[in-house]
């Protein structure tokens, strides 16, 4: 399904029926990242899976794909799906979006699961690197960028032992367009720092980290856990930044336990 949101079109799918759960994928993937987990959860939940703007089948819109634009898109999706409140799950950029969504639309959030993400903004060095890659990908194309990102996204154990998962992840990422990758990188470079936001989050929150996450090391998950009162922290062993794709059964079990404890 496709909905119009300001200057872009947002693609989304829905699996199952029950209490609503909105799942936001990482960069530079799309909703298919969550399918193994979503299909397992769909026996109890209505799982809503959008492609964030500039990802997958969603258009990039005009200029940088900022967190403010993403948050507005998700609010529009909630309106389209008639959701007054829902549980939200976000991985990587999905977590960045949820911090902004919380600041703007916190009354629509019943619970949060923040996976392989960080609250801090980019350092000056990281920001410059993102902006350079945003320019370079337009000249060199998506595959060059994605191949360079793989060691940061997929854990060492998975890369060594599960070439099938690595290949599946690359296939999903290769659905990205150079213009979309560029817009997303620019938006992430501009994202605000969310460390101060952590103390304002008062809904049940689960924090998930990957033991082998090179893109977002475990200290970031620990920082979020310390900053959000009464949050839970779970670490997925032998998994990297894409922990939910590398170990979907384990992440499903963690999410099922957490969501089952939440009053929607």
């Amino acid at each position: 399904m496709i909905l119009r949101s300001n200057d872009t079109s947002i693609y989304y799918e829905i699996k199952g029926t029950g209490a609503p759960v909105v799942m936001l994928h990482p960069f530079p993937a799309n909703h298919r990242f969550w399918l193994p987990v979503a299909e397992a959860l769909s026996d109890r939940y209505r799982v809503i899976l959008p492609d964030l703007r500039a990802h997958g089948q969603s258009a990039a819109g005009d200029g940088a794909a900022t967190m403010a634009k993403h948050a507005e898109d998700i609010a529009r999706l909630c309106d389209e799906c008639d959701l007054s409140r829902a549980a939200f799950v976000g991985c990587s950029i999905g977590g960045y979006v949820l911090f902004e969504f919380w600041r703007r639309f916190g009354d629509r959030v019943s619970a949060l699961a923040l996976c392989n993400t960080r609250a801090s903004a980019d350092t000056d060095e990281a920001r410059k690197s993102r902006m350079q890659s945003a320019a370079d990908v337009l000249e060199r194309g998506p595959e060059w960028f994605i191949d360079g990102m793989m060691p940061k996204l997929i854990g060492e154990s998975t890369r060594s032992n599960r070439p099938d998962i690595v290949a599946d992840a690359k296939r999903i990422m290769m659905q990205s367009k150079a213009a979309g990758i560029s817009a997303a990188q620019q938006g992430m470079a501009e994202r605000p720092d969310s460390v101060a936001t952590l103390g304002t989050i008062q809904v049940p929150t689960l924090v998930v980290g990957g033991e082998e996450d090179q893109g977002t090391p475990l200290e970031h998950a620990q920082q979020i856990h310390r900053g959000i009162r009464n949050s839970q922290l779970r670490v997925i062993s032998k998994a990297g930044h894409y922990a939910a794709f590398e170990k979907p059964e384990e992440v499903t079990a963690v999410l099922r336990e957490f969501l089952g404890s939440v009053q929607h």
Side-chain angles (χ1 to χ4, degrees), residues 158-171 245:
T158 302
R159 283 184 282 120
S160 297
N161 302 317
R162 293 296 306 270
D164 56 322
I165 290 177
V166 176
D168 287 346
K170 182 174 178 178
R171 273 193 289 272
F245 196 79

Side-chain angles (χ1 to χ4, degrees), residues 125-139 144-145 182 185-186 189:
E125 181 181 358
R127 191 175 296 112
K128 289 177 184 177
S129 177
R130 278 197 200 277
M131 296 304 291
Q132 185 62 55
S133 70
D136 290 345
V137 73
L138 295 176
E139 295 185 8
W144 157 81
F145 177 82
S182 180
Q185 284 284 70
Q186 293 174 58

Side-chain angles (χ1 to χ4, degrees), residues 27 67 92-93 96 99 117-134 149 152 182-195 215-217 220 223 241:
F27 170 82
M67 299 309 110
S92 189
I93 189 177
Y96 307 159
F99 288 132
T117 193
R118 68 179 74 200
S120 56
D122 278 353
T123 62
D124 288 342
E125 181 181 358
R127 191 175 296 112
K128 289 177 184 177
S129 177
R130 278 197 200 277
M131 296 304 291
Q132 185 62 55
S133 70
M149 287 286 289
K152 293 183 178 180
S182 180
Q185 284 284 70
Q186 293 174 58
M188 286 188 285
E190 294 179 18
R191 78 182 188 279
D193 192 279
S194 295
V195 173
T216 306
H220 293 284
Q223 180 186 43
H241 195 62

